[in-house]
Amino acid sequence: MESLTNRQKKALETREKLLKTSLELFNKHGFEHVSIDQITKACHVSKGTFYTHFPSKYDVILEKFKELDSFYSTVEKTINHSLPASEKILILYEEQMNYLTNVVGKDLLRTVYTAAMTNHVEQEHYLISPQRKIFQIINSYIAEGVQQGEFRPDLQVTQIQAIIQRCMRANVYDWLIHNENFDLATQMAQFTAIVLDGMKLKND
């Protein structure tokens, strides 16, 4: 692998500085109240430099989610393939909630959820994008559960997908508005297990 040139190293450093500074400003002032001018002035770079690295300030948020997607791919490989689909979903969500709590943190998640509710985001928000790795993994588990007769036949795959995705967003939102006594991983596991149980095919 070829080593980076000084120019390439400088570009990476600038990108990282823009990313870090943007997120700090979003958290401090709110996503909708931070302009690209503010970001570039704080970093002592031009607006052209910002646009070289990020098409918009929304893309700064997306950059952090790419890190999350890499994590989900790693977790997927550790889950026992012989487990029922519902158990795989619970394991994946548990790992996700622990990661959000211990690595990502409330500050960044609040910024993401705030960005999702502003008019600055014109395209479909990444929180609900079917392209997210977490949803692709979950959807594969759901399809597997339907095929194996684990879930009720009267439910469409898309219905189950929507319900399970809402479990995730609802619990994360609750975590963001509660105090530190709210254990995200525990609450997520309890809530999602109940929802999954209601969608399973019952054997008389």
Side-chain angles (χ1 to χ4, degrees), residues 2 18 30 41 79 81 110 115 130 140 152-153 166 188:
E2 295 182 3
L18 285 167
K41 285 179 181 178
I79 297 176
H81 295 296
R110 283 196 184 100
S140 70
R152 287 163 35 191
R166 284 173 187 151
M188 181 69 180

Side-chain angles (χ1 to χ4, degrees), residues 63-197:
E63 188 67 24
K64 291 303 295 183
F65 270 96
K66 291 177 183 178
E67 295 179 14
L68 293 178
D69 283 345
S70 177
F71 169 75
Y72 299 142
S73 296
T74 301
V75 171
E76 181 187 20
K77 295 173 184 176
T78 68
I79 297 176
N80 189 332
H81 295 296
S82 65
L83 291 173
S86 57
E87 289 189 33
K88 291 179 181 178
I89 292 170
L90 288 172
I91 291 171
L92 181 63
Y93 270 171
E94 180 181 12
E95 293 294 333
Q96 180 194 26
M97 297 304 126
N98 284 327
Y99 189 82
L100 293 181
T101 300
N102 301 318
V103 180
V104 178
K106 280 189 174 183
D107 288 343
L108 176 58
L109 262 294
R110 283 196 184 100
T111 298
V112 171
Y113 273 65
T114 299
M117 295 182 285
T118 68
N119 293 328
H120 291 260
V121 179
E122 297 178 355
Q123 68 267 55
E124 184 178 74
H125 195 280
Y126 197 63
L127 279 174
I128 59 173
S129 171
Q131 301 306 314
R132 287 189 64 191
K133 185 64 178 179
I134 183 71
F135 293 152
Q136 291 176 0
I137 298 171
I138 291 293
N139 291 351
S140 70
Y141 292 158
I142 292 170
E144 177 186 307
V146 169
Q147 184 179 16
Q148 295 179 354
E150 184 179 354
F151 296 118
R152 287 163 35 191
D154 61 310
L155 293 173
Q156 299 292 325
V157 172
T158 52
Q159 287 179 293
I160 301 174
Q161 290 171 349
I163 291 169
I164 295 303
Q165 290 177 20
R166 284 173 187 151
C167 285
M168 179 187 71
R169 288 192 293 271
N171 276 276
V172 171
Y173 180 79
D174 259 8
W175 173 59
L176 293 178
I177 64 175
H178 279 78
N179 59 31
E180 298 306 317
N181 293 326
F182 189 98
D183 187 299
L184 179 56
T186 300
Q187 295 293 331
M188 181 69 180
Q190 293 174 351
F191 184 84
T192 309
I194 292 171
V195 172
L196 283 168
D197 188 60

Side-chain angles (χ1 to χ4, degrees), residues 42-55:
C43 293
H44 305 290
V45 299
S46 68
K47 289 179 70 173
T49 298
F50 179 92
Y51 287 119
T52 296
H53 297 284
F54 301 103

